[in-house]
Amino acid sequence: KAGVTQTPRYLIKTRGQQVTLSCSPISGHRSVSWYQQTPGQGLQFLFEYFSETQRNKGNFPGRFSGRQFSNSRSEMNVSTLELGDSALYLCASSSEGGSQPQHFGDGTRLSIL
Amino acid sequence: GQNIDQPTEMTATEGAIVQINCTYQTSGFNGLFWYQQHAGEAPTFLSYNVLDGLEEKGRFSSFLSRSKGYSYLLLKELQMKDSASYLCAVRDLDSGAGSYQLTFGKGTKLSVIP
């Protein structure tokens, strides 16, 4: 069974640009969550999608948005990039059920110049 | 919101036992997860506790006390490959949204030395 796939693995952008990251969950998983990971703040929750609907949202500005498609694949978009957006962006998928863990992709490392 | 605390760094000797603590404050508690993350890699699931007590899985065990808002991860017979960050994550129910949210601690970086 293939794991969570994130593309691209690495990305370099400049301030003011926008970026779209992609995540393909494990087959059969309908929940997809996105996290930002930085050395100082650790893993911070961005949002969760389930059946094409945003089910939960963390405390990030509106420049961060996402969506989920009917095949459960998800995209995350960041507009008007800032230097502070440099981070590892992780996507995780899970099946329903309280004890089901989230399975993470390898992440997209975004660097803002 | 939630508040999850773990030590920032720990060092232990190969072959020894180490205990990594995690304390949390939350409402709507619905489970606690431990993840391992090697440098430059994705977090991988280690254990899950939702009821009080000890869950054992090979060299790794995890304990939960809901009344104390406390958990620990116990690693036995430490190996060099256990050098990694260990993340405590609490799942709670957002009753307003009717959904669950997973919040991570900042992680404990464990260094295993010969």
Side-chain angles (χ1 to χ4, degrees):
Chain A
K1 201 174 192 183
V4 177
T5 304
Q6 290 187 247
T7 56
R9 289 295 311 278
Y10 303 92
L11 205 49
I12 298 175
K13 291 285 187 180
T14 56
R15 281 180 296 174
Q17 287 187 309
Q18 74 165 23
V19 67
T20 299
L21 311 181
S22 180
C23 172
S24 293
I26 291 172
S27 178
H29 287 188
R30 292 197 290 166
S31 169
V32 174
S33 297
W34 288 90
Y35 297 87
Q36 181 194 66
Q37 188 173 35
T38 58
Q41 296 299 319
L43 263 168
Q44 292 190 285
F45 174 72
L46 281 156
F47 26 66
E48 183 210 2
Y49 286 87
F50 181 82
S51 293
E52 301 179 66
T53 301
Q54 186 180 90
R55 194 158 66 168
N56 238 321
K57 191 177 190 305
N59 295 323
F60 277 81
R63 301 186 296 107
F64 292 81
S65 63
R67 58 179 176 167
Q68 186 179 34
F69 302 94
S70 57
N71 62 357
S72 293
R73 190 177 72 84
S74 178
E75 287 182 348
M76 190 191 97
N77 186 76
V78 188
S79 63
T80 320
L81 286 165
E82 301 176 359
L83 291 178
D85 297 333
S86 293
L88 179 67
Y89 290 88
L90 289 162
C91 165
S93 74
S94 67
S95 56
E96 281 297 270
S99 65
Q100 298 306 309
Q102 294 187 350
H103 298 272
F104 285 84
D106 288 334
T108 295
R109 184 161 296 281
L110 176 63
S111 298
I112 311 302
L113 304 179
Chain B
Q2 295 190 17
N3 192 26
I4 301 173
D5 287 315
Q6 332 176 208
T8 304
E9 295 185 41
M10 297 182 72
T11 301
T13 306
E14 191 176 14
I17 299 172
V18 70
Q19 177 174 312
I20 302 174
N21 296 325
C22 171
T23 58
Y24 63 89
Q25 294 172 318
T26 184
S27 57
F29 175 84
N30 198 260
L32 187 144
F33 296 82
W34 283 96
Y35 283 81
Q36 180 191 60
Q37 186 177 24
H38 285 100
E41 298 182 11
T44 56
F45 168 71
L46 287 177
S47 69
Y48 170 73
N49 296 72
V50 66
L51 300 176
D52 290 351
L54 190 68
E55 294 283 340
E56 296 186 81
K57 197 186 284 187
R59 293 189 299 116
F60 292 11
S61 303
S62 56
F63 172 83
L64 175 68
S65 169
R66 289 171 296 170
S67 63
K68 296 181 179 177
Y70 168 69
S71 173
Y72 67 72
L73 180 69
L74 194 71
L75 291 76
K76 304 175 187 175
E77 300 168 16
L78 279 173
Q79 302 175 8
M80 299 300 288
K81 67 178 182 179
D82 297 330
S83 293
S85 286
Y86 291 86
L87 309 174
C88 170
V90 174
R91 175 180 159 112
D92 70 352
L93 174 63
D94 182 337
S95 56
S99 63
Y100 298 99
Q101 182 166 323
L102 195 62
T103 302
F104 284 81
K106 293 187 178 179
T108 299
K109 185 178 180 182
L110 174 67
S111 298
V112 180
I113 57 176

